[in-house]
Amino acid sequence: PVPAPEPAAAPVPAPEPAAAPVNPYAQPAQPTSQAASTNQTNQNPYAQPTQNATSTNAWAASQQAANPYAQPQQPYGRPQGAPVGGNPGAACGQVYYTEGCISAALADIRGSKNWFGSALVLGLINCVPVLNFFSQGYLLNWSREVPFGGKTQMPKKYFSGKNFEIGFYFFLISLVFALVVGIASAAIGWIPLIGWFAALALSFGASMFVQACSMRMAMMQQLGDGFSIGKAWQMIKRNWTGLFCAAVVPGIVAGLVISVIALIAMFLGLGAIVPVAMMDPYSYGSSAVAGMLGALGVVGVLAMLAIMVLCLVVEFFASLVTIRAVAHWVGRYAPEWASEATYRATGYGAAPRS
């Protein structure tokens, strides 16, 4: 008989690959953003859901394109104007701005519709005693928005109770500083040369303190904050040169312009007055004044009054640039004041010390 065939041998299974060695120092994998937000929500039931930034940014962009001065800009508490690349000052917290405070102030003023007409009207209002409280308060109330990130056009309403109140507070702050500096200058001004320079330095320093304290007063809406000398000094030490340029330089430029205008007016007036005075050299008192006015004529007197008003308007425009520039300086180098004002507005009083 034929033997039965032997059954085929079963295939030998392939050996399993060796397991990877376990690394006891490996960090656990981080969950994805969706999983992380889900876990965070489960852990904190009071967590706020994230907002859809796409629609919000699109709406803000459309509004900004329609009117760039209608929407608040990026808060000054964040670095602005810093170069994109490596910055040697970034390590120590120093921020470089591509635009100075005065340039930023001029851009804000020119960005307002009919800014020249508004400045002219406010300058004329500033020529009238007591009514000038409205104009100064107008400037402070408009500029106080800058440290909070605001950028709006110059308001059309000049007269309001708040403008008068803030303008009166500004007058009190300026008066107190002027009295102190006047007494100190009289005490040291008798020293030749050194005393004169010291009195000039005191005048410049007082201008810086007046502007910084007035801006703080406008932000807090309280007169007492206008005399926070210690807080103002802490901020001034951060960048006193920038505050000097913002608070003093516009006034110096305006003074030079006014001096040139006055010099031209003086020569024109002397050209009309001197011949009359030479005709009657023995006149004096009221008769001499009447003769000079008669020499000028009605047109000459009106021209002199117009020149005086022009000088006052130039001085007010310097104040407009100064206050807006100081607001930019406060936004850049004293962002704590905006945080403190916001904290007070919530009804909790002064902000806690850090």
Side-chain angles (χ1 to χ4, degrees):
V2 180
E6 296 182 358
V12 180
E16 297 182 357
V22 179
N23 185 5
Y25 301 100
Q27 300 294 330
Q30 299 292 335
T32 61
S33 59
Q34 183 176 3
S37 60
T38 304
N39 295 337
Q40 184 178 2
T41 304
N42 294 334
Q43 295 175 2
N44 184 8
Y46 300 99
Q48 298 295 330
T50 58
Q51 298 180 355
N52 187 4
T54 304
S55 60
T56 303
N57 294 337
W59 178 85
S62 63
Q63 295 294 322
Q64 186 71 16
N67 186 359
Y69 296 94
Q71 299 297 325
Q73 305 300 303
Q74 183 183 12
Y76 252 125
R78 304 175 185 177
Q80 295 183 359
V84 179
N87 187 351
C92 59
Q94 187 176 3
V95 179
Y96 296 94
Y97 295 90
T98 58
E99 188 178 34
C101 294
I102 295 180
S103 300
L106 291 174
D108 293 345
I109 296 170
R110 291 194 299 263
S112 297
K113 185 178 180 180
N114 193 23
W115 65 269
F116 184 80
S118 299
L120 182 60
V121 172
L122 289 169
L124 295 176
I125 295 174
N126 196 60
C127 297
V128 183
V130 180
L131 291 183
N132 57 352
F133 295 161
F134 287 102
S135 59
Q136 294 296 331
Y138 174 96
L139 299 184
L140 287 169
N141 278 324
W142 176 54
S143 299
R144 68 182 295 270
E145 67 176 6
V146 175
F148 298 98
K151 188 177 182 181
T152 60
Q153 296 190 15
M154 297 176 66
K156 300 300 182 183
K157 187 176 182 180
Y158 305 130
F159 298 97
S160 67
K162 181 57 68 174
N163 286 348
F164 186 87
E165 177 187 359
I166 298 301
F168 180 68
Y169 290 166
F170 175 79
F171 166 75
L172 293 179
I173 295 172
S174 303
L175 179 62
V176 171
F177 275 95
L179 291 176
V180 173
V181 172
I183 295 173
S185 299
I188 63 176
W190 61 272
I191 304 176
L193 193 61
I194 298 178
W196 302 338
F197 282 106
L200 184 62
L202 284 175
S203 177
F204 288 159
S207 299
M208 296 165 61
F209 270 97
V210 166
Q211 295 299 333
C213 293
S214 298
M215 184 55 58
R216 176 177 172 82
M217 175 271 296
M219 294 174 63
M220 307 299 173
Q221 301 285 291
Q222 296 291 334
L223 175 61
D225 289 288
F227 297 98
S228 301
I229 309 298
K231 293 184 178 180
W233 173 241
Q234 292 177 1
M235 301 301 110
I236 291 175
K237 289 189 297 183
R238 295 180 179 178
N239 184 264
W240 70 271
T241 55
L243 182 59
F244 177 84
C245 293
V248 179
V249 170
I252 294 177
V253 174
L256 294 176
V257 174
I258 292 174
S259 299
V260 172
I261 295 175
L263 189 63
I264 295 175
M266 182 183 68
F267 279 109
L268 294 177
L270 288 177
I273 293 173
V274 169
V276 176
M278 292 179 65
M279 292 176 60
D280 189 8
Y282 299 102
S283 62
Y284 60 93
S286 59
S287 61
V289 174
M292 292 179 183
L293 293 178
L296 290 174
V298 177
V299 177
V301 173
L302 293 179
M304 295 299 293
L305 291 176
I307 290 174
M308 292 176 59
V309 172
L310 177 62
C311 293
L312 293 175
V313 171
V314 170
E315 182 182 1
F316 177 80
F317 185 78
S319 299
L320 171 61
V321 176
T322 294
I323 293 177
R324 191 73 179 184
V326 170
H328 279 277
W329 183 90
V330 170
R332 297 179 181 186
Y333 302 103
E336 300 91 337
W337 290 3
S339 302
E340 182 179 353
T342 304
Y343 191 85
R344 288 188 184 185
T346 59
Y348 294 100
R353 294 184 179 181
S354 56

